[in-house]
Amino acid sequence: MAQVPPPGSVVVADWHRCKDSKEYFSKILHKKRRRNFGLLESPVMPPNVAVDTVHYKIFISGKTGVGKTTLAARLAGLNIPNMHYETTGIETTVVYWPVKLRESGRVLFFRLQLWDCGENALRRFDHLLPSCKEQVDAVLFLFSFTDRTSFDDLSNQIAKWTGTCASRVVKLVVGTKFDLFMHCDVAERDVRDFQETWGLPVLRMGGEVSDGLGDVSPLLNCLAENLWYQDCVAAGSSSYHSQQETGTLY
Amino acid sequence: MMLQGGSTQLLCLTASSGVPLFTRGASKQLPFSVIGSLNGVHMFGGGQGVSLSSCETEGGGKVVWRVFQDSVMLIAVTGGGQGGAGSSKEEEVRLQRLLENVWNCMVLVLGQDELANVRNVERLKRDLRSCISLIDQLLEERQEGILGNLTHCADSLLPPNPSLLQQAVDGFAQSADSEFGCLMVHGRIAAATEKWWRLAPQEVVLLSALMRSLSASGSASCDYPVFLPQGSPTVAHRLLRFQLLPGADVCVLCGPTPSLHRAESGLVVRFWTPLVETLRDCLAVGERCLPGSVSLRPAVLALLLINREARRSVSCVRCPTHHPPGDPPLPSKARCWELMKLFYIFSTTRYFTQEESVCLTPEERAQGGNTEDFILGFSHQPLQCYLVTEECKSFGLQTPQHQLFLLTPLSVPTFALRTVATQTLSDVVTATGF
């Protein structure tokens, strides 16, 4: 099982609340709302404060109706669709997120591209899932707190991501519609048991969308942390392996 | 009159057994018994050797039926329309067009096979949910200023630097192993490959509608399977869409390659980064849809220009900068769009009928000439028409190449309408080559 870093150990948690983050976060905001960049543009810092951007591909997995498209929109600060329409193909959303590394104090822009595809479409067209899996860095397994079957289905979904390649993929579980406690179908105890069994962090999303970054920062920081940690582990182990294999190099 | 989106209801049933598949539209749905009766009366007609296509109610409502591929029946119902008999033909045209668009939309998403051979009704019902978003868009006509669903001509925007953009679209499509590529700005086509324009008009319009809804979501890129209703109804293509800048999207129709990831990281940046400024100039054209090189006469309140051969249209509504206080008030922007649509339907159903009834290919039309006249018995084709109402004046003219529909304020003298129209047509065509 992949190692999960303790929260806040790799990146500074809730950095958006610190004063020194303002100049970075201002680059992803436009009049208090998140700026939509398009593929040809990206946040640019002044030359004296140059910041590297790291790119990651994240796939959002989950049954129909759990809130994949809504989650992507929410993380990017885009308008949330108010009706549920099935996603009939792959839709990707780009989120830029400034992060400060705890150890070095270095600031990075994480460019997170979220890949979202409807369950029905994945079933009908078999080229879509391989396209989603191609060079993916992380998978978010979604379930809805108001839909028990989506929670029970998690093990099914996680099972599809096994094997040596998949072990390098960051896996997080996200429970949506957490605010609808009147219709809650998944108890806290079930979530705890699940976490113990699978060793995967479970995050929660839900509630009114605020203009601020507070409701998305826990998930984005957790994701950034796990991705960066995974990259460090991979870099560390690959240098270890290359030392081991010196004898077999041409 | 017609554009009370909320009061048009759309029903979809299986043709063979009348099982309801979905209902969209009005907030208050028709009761199941009424739906059953509507189906029943159509079936009764069928049994008597009669194909029921439309009917009117005493209250001015209208019902239109159409069966597609002997498999799916679509019924459109509108309630309480105003206006007398004069309006009913226009309403019927609009509703028939709606049914055709909805069917094409269903084929686009699901493919003809699944719709023509209904084996499992429950599965079809579930799969049809994927079409709902586009169908709602067709019903509600959310974006004003988009007339393609009605005219079956692609809404276009004429950029200030067309050749640069054309080169980029052609090159980009080719690099993506495709001959079909299109650049859309503010929901309208700014440039497209030749093969894109050769797609059936209904396909171009529907793909534009799909692009608009994808663009509205703010997503960065998409990989959508689509079945072209006329060109490829049983074999899916992939529609790859990329948001270059907010408001400017490029798309290509591909086969199995390239993958979305590779196209995005390898091709998009390479082809389009050098053109960021050009794209910004294009975005600056805005809702006017015409480059700065075209100056419109002050008398022009709204215009719709159609290139008949290419099946393309350019349209805009202007808010005149200075309006004399003594003059009658101008209709609002939204009302101008409504009036334009009404006038288009009015003109094409009464005067410029050649367009809709006879579907000729461009080659046939080119060599048609005398043969056509002979077949039609040398009927005279109206060239111009005008209409004066309490809200505005309208003028329509048709040439072999173009159709122009113009709205002017009431203050413009009626005898001047023809000049305004012919001059405007000449101005736009000379400046842009449309």
Side-chain angles (χ1 to χ4, degrees), chain A residues 39 85 88 90-92 113, chain B residues 136 220-221 223-224 243 264:
Chain A
L39 291 171
Y85 287 122
T88 46
I90 301 174
E91 280 197 51
T92 75
Q113 191 156 16
Chain B
D136 278 354
S221 63
D223 181 343
Y224 259 60
Q243 183 192 46
E264 191 182 308

Side-chain angles (χ1 to χ4, degrees), chain B residues 315-357:
Chain B
S315 57
C316 69
V317 166
R318 301 160 79 209
C319 302
T321 40
H322 102 98
H323 182 59
D327 281 3
L330 294 174
S332 68
K333 195 155 176 236
R335 183 62 186 157
C336 279
W337 284 117
E338 277 186 44
L339 291 168
M340 181 58 89
K341 288 181 190 176
L342 291 174
F343 184 60
Y344 173 83
I345 298 180
F346 171 84
S347 310
T348 52
T349 50
R350 276 163 226 284
Y351 304 115
F352 307 148
T353 52
Q354 195 182 24
E355 210 62 31
E356 312 298 82
S357 47

